[in-house]
Amino acid sequence: MHQGPASKRILITSALPYINGVKHLGNLVGSMLPADVFARFMRLQGHEVLFICATDEHGTPAELAALEQGLDVATFCREQHAVQEGLAKRFDLSFDHFGRSSSPQNKELTQYFCRRLEANGYIEERLTKQVYSKTDGRFLPDRYVVGTCPHCGNENARGDQCEACTKLLDPTDLINPRSAVSGSADLEVRESKHLFLLQSKFADRIREWITDKNKENWPKLVTSIALKWLNEGLHDRCITRDLAWGVPVDRPGFEGKVFYVWFDAPIEYIAATKEWADENPAANRDWRSWWKRTGDDTGPEYYEFMAKDNVPFHTVSFPCTIMGANEGIETTGEKPWKLVDYIKGFNWLTYYGGKFSTSGKRGVFMNDAIDLLPSDYWRYYLMANAPETNDSSFTWEHFAATVNKDLADTLGNFVNRAFKLTEKHFGCVVPAGGEPGFADKDLALQTADRLREYERCLEAMEFRKAAQELKAMWTLGNMYFDRMQPWKSIKEDREQTACTLRSAIGLVRFYALCSYPFIPGTSARILEALGLRLEDETWPDGSWPHYGSESVEGRDPNWREGKVLNYSRLVEVGREFSIPGPLFMKITPEQLAEWEDRFTGK
RNA sequence: GGCGGUGUAGCUCAGUUGGUUAGAGCAGUGGAAUCAUAAUCCACGUGUCCGCGGUUCGAAUCCGUGCACCGCUACCA
């Protein structure tokens, strides 16, 4: 892939999947997958992209999951990281680096940010009271203390809230409190010293930042969640915990304490970039250049992808960390750290209208999905139905219908009929002869309009609409076939038919490239059938063979220089191809029934 | 309890600042075609825009209210 002259630097991060267990399709479509589609689009356009993700490894759930499996937490995390990295590969998630929040780099940077914040007066020591379980030998987060609700008598109320009567609770409100970890009732309240980040001091600055002009094109979901937090009043936030697993607090009197997972997790975006640089010293990767503003220049464009549960931490908490650390940073000879330029937030993907649930094993998980079907099936379906402006519902019926109709029947079948028909009459060689006529130019113009809209949608990260445009472009190929009827014209005009089939094969190459962000595996298969390599390809634009303005001018009010591609010249005459066979297998009614049954929906 | 979101065609969803006969895809019905994975293409929408009330020349859109579902409520992440 070539880097164009107008090349931009684009930093993309996906919300970090939590280490605890395999992620489900909702997690995938909410951050990692759309970020990947965007990264692939931008790379193919010739921009310099750095795409960062990592596992979020700290926190109580990781410790407890390790305990349950009889592993020490470090081993557990190492294993689970490998599992998630393997799944990311199988879904063709093209991270430049898939890091770990437990890395030394993150330890170093987390401690650094805390020091910067303290230097600027944003850190305060406070005494807190917390429940300690002697049997478990640990402090318990509020919701890991269970007992009888004083309001409704529910015997399994959690220490933060009773789920039966929805009343908010303190762990000390509970009658007969016990540990959710061991069931032990041997609990006591102990005092503990902790660090607080004085977020309340940032309220005005965060509000100003979130409401400035540049945020007007952010998803409404994102700004409204941020404003909700601001309107409720920013609380100072405890950023340390009495746990063994995490980034240690490097401060006298804080031995045995670690930073709160939500403090160190976003910093891992930066730390993972350093991991990426450190893993290949010979490449001289300048990780700071991705995270620093440089003089008047604001540095790279930075995009974050996440589901709505993550939005507060990326619109409020992490920006506080960055803003607080940046104060007076010039005096240390350092440049300021970058704030995010665009947050793409997603709603929930539901499973038959209900919640995907890891603990309840409800829904479809990445490992199960990828064992059933190749990644492109999932990638296309999920992005075409991404929960962008609203929650959206996964059902097996809908999934099967989409795969069968769009991928197998519209795209797969078009590619197959183009290859098969050419083979039948000319062999597996791109045929010579003929000249494009009215219908060819009509196809080119219509496709150009679709392509322009498709590009606009992808740039704007409107993935659902982008998928619609993509499918519409595939349909134009089928329409072209039905209009030209090469199976009929071959009997009267072999030259003209050669041109038609050559154009169809040109369309095939075109589809391989423009579909690449969504279905990279299929793109690769198509290009391979044509004897082409992705590394040599570019986004279909003016550098591709196109009609000169005189050819179509006067007929088209939407004429745009260099964008109306001449499909009869997209693949050169005489090039040999192979027939890849069906690109997509249809999902049968039997499979559908079996999967619905196995993944207990409804 | 508080806050927020959602409720649009059988299904999944779009509907920019209120502006003519409310949209797309799928499903369904009819037709054309037969190169292809029985795949394609064309045509076809009488929808109390959740209910009620209000503002307005005009409301799916704004306001009030009721109902239903969902989420968050800061120590799960």
Side-chain angles (χ1 to χ4, degrees):
Chain A
M1 285 170 260
H2 309 294
Q3 225 140 283
S7 161
K8 296 187 285 192
R9 302 182 81 221
I10 296 179
L11 174 64
I12 300 168
T13 60
S14 158
L16 308 186
Y18 195 63
I19 192 66
N20 188 6
V22 169
K23 301 298 106 181
H24 52 61
L25 296 182
N27 300 128
L28 181 63
V29 74
S31 55
M32 295 181 278
L33 180 53
D36 183 70
V37 171
F38 188 63
R40 286 176 182 275
F41 172 64
M42 286 299 173
R43 285 197 198 103
L44 200 53
Q45 292 239 311
H47 301 303
E48 186 185 358
V49 170
L50 186 67
F51 180 22
I52 293 291
C53 194
T55 39
D56 175 15
E57 305 193 356
H58 296 140
T60 312
E63 291 192 321
L64 296 181
L67 205 64
E68 204 170 294
Q69 295 193 15
L71 296 170
D72 67 90
V73 65
T75 306
F76 171 79
C77 287
R78 192 167 58 244
E79 286 180 3
Q80 289 299 309
H81 174 82
V83 168
Q84 296 212 22
E85 186 169 43
L87 284 168
K89 282 211 172 71
R90 294 181 74 190
F91 276 92
D92 297 308
L93 301 176
S94 60
F95 306 132
D96 290 294
H97 185 72
F98 187 62
R100 304 182 58 189
S101 69
S102 62
S103 67
Q105 287 87 347
N106 196 33
K107 174 183 160 187
E108 184 187 316
L109 275 160
T110 298
Q111 293 176 346
Y112 157 88
F113 273 103
C114 185
R115 282 197 302 275
R116 289 287 321 151
L117 288 165
E118 177 158 26
N120 290 322
Y122 294 120
I123 298 287
E124 199 173 283
E125 273 188 29
R126 292 182 191 170
L127 271 181
T128 64
K129 289 192 167 118
Q130 283 177 66
V131 175
Y132 184 85
S133 164
K134 289 190 212 164
T135 308
D136 298 310
R138 61 183 302 145
F139 283 94
L140 296 173
D142 288 356
R143 69 178 56 197
Y144 285 99
V145 183
V146 296
T148 303
C149 173
H151 301 103
C152 72
N154 167 29
E155 292 181 4
N156 291 306
R158 296 187 323 207
D160 57 340
Q161 180 171 25
C162 173
E163 282 175 325
C165 69
T166 74
K167 287 221 163 51
L168 294 178
L169 303 173
D170 248 11
T172 48
D173 296 338
L174 294 170
I175 302 161
N176 299 324
R178 58 189 193 277
S179 160
V181 179
S182 60
S184 163
D186 195 5
L187 307 178
E188 63 184 32
V189 175
R190 288 190 183 176
E191 282 204 327
S192 182
K193 200 162 48 169
H194 282 291
L195 298 182
F196 278 70
L197 173 59
L198 305 185
Q199 287 192 146
S200 50
K201 294 194 176 185
F202 291 91
D204 293 342
R205 266 179 285 174
I206 295 284
R207 184 181 293 276
E208 198 178 318
W209 176 69
I210 214 79
T211 52
D212 75 23
K213 278 276 179 209
N214 301 326
K215 311 295 185 291
E216 279 173 5
N217 62 344
W218 283 26
K220 271 187 291 185
L221 173 74
V222 171
T223 41
S224 74
I225 291 175
L227 287 173
K228 180 195 150 199
W229 274 53
L230 290 167
N231 292 340
E232 287 174 1
L234 276 193
H235 301 198
D236 296 336
R237 200 174 175 93
C238 180
I239 58 163
T240 55
R241 291 290 182 277
D242 290 290
L243 295 175
W245 175 241
V247 174
V249 181
D250 53 338
R251 181 188 184 90
F254 279 73
E255 294 79 11
K257 295 179 197 280
V258 299
F259 284 100
Y260 176 41
V261 54
W262 262 117
F263 184 71
D264 77 66
I267 295 172
E268 168 63 9
Y269 292 141
I270 304 174
T273 311
K274 186 165 190 298
E275 293 169 36
W276 165 78
D278 290 348
E279 78 180 356
N280 189 351
N284 271 325
R285 292 168 174 167
D286 184 1
W287 65 275
R288 280 189 184 80
S289 75
W290 289 97
W291 285 100
K292 296 287 193 172
R293 301 202 294 256
T294 51
D296 293 341
D297 189 1
T298 55
E301 291 177 15
Y302 176 26
Y303 298 85
E304 289 176 349
F305 288 76
M306 71 199 66
K308 58 186 169 186
D309 56 333
N310 267 283
V311 166
F313 303 100
H314 291 78
T315 51
V316 177
S317 313
F318 189 40
C320 286
T321 301
I322 298 287
M323 287 177 181
N326 277 348
E327 269 181 44
I329 199 171
E330 314 277 8
T331 63
T332 69
E334 257 194 282
K335 295 273 199 287
W337 300 93
K338 261 195 76 70
L339 285 166
V340 65
D341 295 304
Y342 189 89
I343 293 180
K344 177 66 179 179
F346 286 87
N347 285 286
W348 302 121
L349 182 72
T350 65
Y351 189 67
Y352 289 86
K355 213 178 170 184
F356 270 87
S357 162
T358 308
S359 52
K361 303 210 163 138
R362 178 182 162 79
V364 188
F365 291 77
M366 284 173 73
N367 55 346
D368 294 324
I370 203 66
D371 284 344
L372 293 181
L373 292 167
S375 68
D376 285 352
Y377 292 64
W378 300 105
R379 292 176 61 107
Y380 178 79
Y381 171 81
L382 290 171
M383 294 312 296
N385 297 287
E388 286 181 304
T389 52
N390 207 342
D391 289 356
S392 75
S393 174
F394 177 93
T395 67
W396 284 102
E397 297 87 336
H398 193 214
F399 173 67
T402 304
V403 163
N404 290 352
K405 186 67 184 175
D406 295 3
L407 293 179
D409 295 348
T410 306
L411 174 62
N413 184 49
F414 173 78
V415 170
N416 195 49
R417 66 200 294 212
F419 281 140
K420 282 268 182 74
L421 197 56
T422 306
E423 179 204 25
K424 187 166 173 182
H425 298 295
F426 299 94
C428 285
V429 174
V430 176
E435 283 299 321
F438 183 90
D440 295 86
K441 289 168 187 167
D442 193 44
L443 163 77
L445 288 166
Q446 289 196 51
T447 308
D449 285 342
R450 289 292 186 181
L451 178 62
R452 179 172 48 183
E453 179 62 9
Y454 179 59
E455 289 169 337
R456 190 199 63 74
C457 291
L458 282 175
E459 274 159 23
M461 289 160 278
E462 293 172 15
F463 296 106
R464 258 184 121 104
K465 280 190 201 158
Q468 272 178 32
E469 293 301 320
L470 182 59
K471 193 208 161 182
M473 287 195 283
W474 298 338
T475 297
L476 286 172
N478 283 310
M479 286 168 65
Y480 175 70
F481 253 136
D482 284 17
R483 185 172 185 180
M484 301 307 278
Q485 305 186 3
W487 51 90
K488 203 184 255 177
S489 70
I490 187 72
K491 292 167 192 161
E492 300 124 35
D493 190 342
R494 193 173 165 82
E495 288 275 304
Q496 187 50 49
T497 308
C499 180
T500 299
L501 291 173
R502 194 166 68 247
S503 296
I505 292 174
L507 272 173
V508 167
R509 179 183 171 207
F510 171 78
Y511 292 156
L513 269 298
C514 64
S515 309
Y516 168 78
F518 286 88
I519 48 173
T522 304
S523 291
R525 276 183 74 188
I526 294 174
L527 291 173
E528 195 185 339
L530 289 165
L532 298 168
R533 296 187 326 154
L534 185 61
E535 303 83 73
D536 306 324
E537 297 283 351
T538 63
W539 188 255
D541 58 19
S543 68
W544 286 40
H546 56 273
Y547 289 109
S549 51
E550 69 284 354
S551 314
V552 271
E553 211 166 29
R555 271 194 49 240
D556 171 42
N558 300 316
W559 164 259
R560 285 167 303 130
E561 181 72 36
K563 283 290 190 181
V564 184
L565 303 176
N566 183 340
Y567 291 93
S568 73
R569 291 181 51 215
L570 292 197
V571 181
E572 74 273 20
V573 167
R575 173 174 282 278
E576 293 183 14
F577 60 84
S578 57
I579 298 178
L583 295 174
F584 298 96
M585 300 307 294
K586 291 220 228 188
I587 295 168
T588 64
E590 293 74 33
Q591 285 175 309
L592 178 57
E594 190 212 319
W595 296 342
E596 273 187 311
D597 186 50
R598 183 170 4 147
F599 297 91
T600 58
K602 306 183 179 179

